[in-house]
Amino acid sequence: MTTFVSLFRGINVGGHQAVRMDALKELHESLGLQEVQTYIQSGNVVFTSDDADVTRIQKAIEDGFAQKFGFQVNVMVRTADEFNVMIENNPFQNQPMKESKWVVVMFLASHPISTAREDIQKTYTGPEELQIIGQEVYIYYPEGMGRSKLTNVFLEKKLKTSGTARNWNTVLRLQKMLEG
């Protein structure tokens, strides 16, 4: 039995593409996934499965979602082990001057192109700090995300892949859920 988290992109943002969490839970259960729990309205689902194939599970969730809700979304699926490695890799940990509430992780659908970091640095200068490690982008927003020009849409365009962002407090809460 493998434990996973699915992270939905673009649902329940600004009142658009509204999906109830109990409906997301039902979707996961209808796909044969077990011990399904949701966390906050942004589309975070922790579950277990006998199938350990992340790609197959991700496709089943995306296809099932489109059938059930009538529109497509991207879903980033990570195993508990992958999630723990992502947490260990956070370059902004143990830096007292960097408040965790301003740290965001963007989970990517695929590895970004090799020149992604350079492309971003050439076209964007701002107060944010950014690190790309594996399939995640770690961002420190010293002035908050609200007015930042370093948006998900900008990053997706430069990285040539889709992604969904979660603040560090949500990431840590999901880790606790993954541990059971």
Side-chain angles (χ1 to χ4, degrees):
M1 195 69 82
T2 305
T3 305
F4 297 88
V5 62
S6 57
L7 305 154
F8 286 73
R9 181 193 181 282
I11 63 169
N12 300 337
V13 179
H16 300 286
Q17 296 184 318
V19 176
R20 292 185 345 267
M21 292 303 100
D22 60 340
L24 271 189
K25 182 177 181 179
E26 288 169 12
L27 167 67
H28 282 69
E29 290 171 343
S30 74
L31 297 171
L33 306 172
Q34 299 139 23
E35 300 177 53
V36 181
Q37 307 171 66
T38 62
Y39 178 66
I40 65 175
Q41 290 298 111
S42 57
N44 308 293
V45 184
V46 172
F47 59 92
T48 60
S49 176
D50 294 326
D51 186 351
D53 187 323
V54 173
T55 304
R56 188 170 37 238
I57 289 173
Q58 181 173 320
K59 180 164 178 22
I61 294 170
E62 287 177 345
D63 292 348
F65 184 95
Q67 261 185 338
K68 183 175 179 91
F69 299 104
F71 61 95
Q72 291 283 143
V73 295
N74 290 89
V75 181
M76 294 0 116
V77 176
R78 301 291 190 268
T79 66
D81 290 344
E82 290 170 330
F83 207 81
N84 287 329
V85 167
M86 175 275 305
I87 288 172
E88 290 170 19
N89 286 339
N90 179 355
F92 303 117
Q93 289 186 97
N94 305 315
Q95 295 184 33
M97 299 303 289
K98 291 191 166 64
E99 291 186 60
S100 64
K101 69 180 180 180
W102 302 122
V103 175
V104 169
V105 179
M106 186 173 184
F107 297 87
L108 303 175
S110 61
H111 287 276
I113 61 168
S114 60
T115 59
R117 183 176 291 127
E118 297 80 39
D119 291 349
I120 291 169
Q121 289 170 339
K122 284 179 194 169
T123 57
Y124 180 79
T125 54
E128 298 84 6
E129 293 178 46
L130 177 131
Q131 291 286 328
I132 301 168
I133 301 173
Q135 248 182 277
E136 278 77 38
V137 180
Y138 300 83
I139 310 161
Y140 178 67
Y141 289 93
E143 298 171 3
M145 286 183 70
R147 285 180 241 117
S148 174
K149 304 262 188 275
L150 191 60
T151 64
N152 278 16
V153 172
F154 174 84
L155 289 168
E156 287 175 327
K157 185 176 179 184
K158 292 296 177 187
L159 300 171
K160 299 196 181 351
T161 186
S162 64
T164 188
R166 298 297 186 271
N167 72 43
W168 194 246
N169 294 332
T170 296
V171 166
L172 294 178
R173 179 66 182 121
L174 290 169
Q175 182 186 38
K176 282 187 182 2
M177 291 173 68
L178 285 163
E179 292 169 353

